[in-house]
Amino acid sequence: DLRCTCTNALSPQNYILTVQERIPANAANTVGRQWNVTCGAGGNCGTVSATPNSGTVNLNNGGAAVQVASATVAGITAGLSQTVSCTTSAAPAGSTFTVTTAPSPLTLSTGTTTGTVSATCTNTNTTAATVTLTCNTLCSAAGSTATQISQYTLSCPGQAG
């Protein structure tokens, strides 16, 4: 009895299973047996969308987190997932920007179809500081590549003079 486990992939994966058979079990010689195995009919990573998918988000200097976007997946195959990751450009001197997701990590699937991206900032300057926030998604299927889904400008006001 042979059992194989296939990885999730975007297209069917073909393999050749080779087994050396010895009949009877104590015989000196073996006979090679081969089977063609096709794993899966191909998965679907679905579509991840961010709402909104661009724009300027005004944050509160030293204040509560502001929701930047919500991310949603639709049409994904059971057993696959999409992980949303967001990065900021370098922050100007005197300012910091922190991005969080819920859930964390923001992994979307048939069980969790939506999540959020939020941000906070601090800025010791008297002028506003901005960074670019870029969010990408990566499907868990073998052979997937990251796809950009959104880009924002995060703005943190300066200190009152």
Side-chain angles (χ1 to χ4, degrees), residues 61-62 92-97 121-130 156-159:
N61 189 349
S95 65
T96 59
F97 291 80
C121 71
T122 58
N123 183 5
T124 59
N125 300 308
T126 56
T127 59
T130 61
C156 187
Q159 297 286 331

Side-chain angles (χ1 to χ4, degrees), residues 51-145:
T51 305
N53 67 353
S54 64
T56 298
V57 179
N58 296 311
L59 304 177
N60 305 310
N61 189 349
V66 173
Q67 183 174 314
V68 176
S70 62
T72 305
V73 68
I76 193 166
T77 299
L80 294 178
S81 62
Q82 287 269 16
T83 300
V84 177
S85 59
C86 300
T87 56
T88 62
S89 59
S95 65
T96 59
F97 291 80
T98 304
V99 176
T100 57
T101 63
S104 181
L106 182 45
T107 301
L108 305 175
S109 65
T110 55
T112 303
T113 59
T114 189
T116 59
V117 177
S118 299
T120 60
C121 71
T122 58
N123 183 5
T124 59
N125 300 308
T126 56
T127 59
T130 61
V131 295
T132 299
L133 175 68
T134 303
C135 296
N136 297 305
T137 185
L138 180 63
C139 183
S140 62
S144 297
T145 57

Side-chain angles (χ1 to χ4, degrees), residues 21-38:
E21 183 178 24
R22 190 180 312 258
I23 300 176
N26 61 355
N29 295 327
T30 60
V31 176
R33 307 278 187 209
Q34 288 190 335
W35 294 270
N36 292 322
V37 178
T38 300

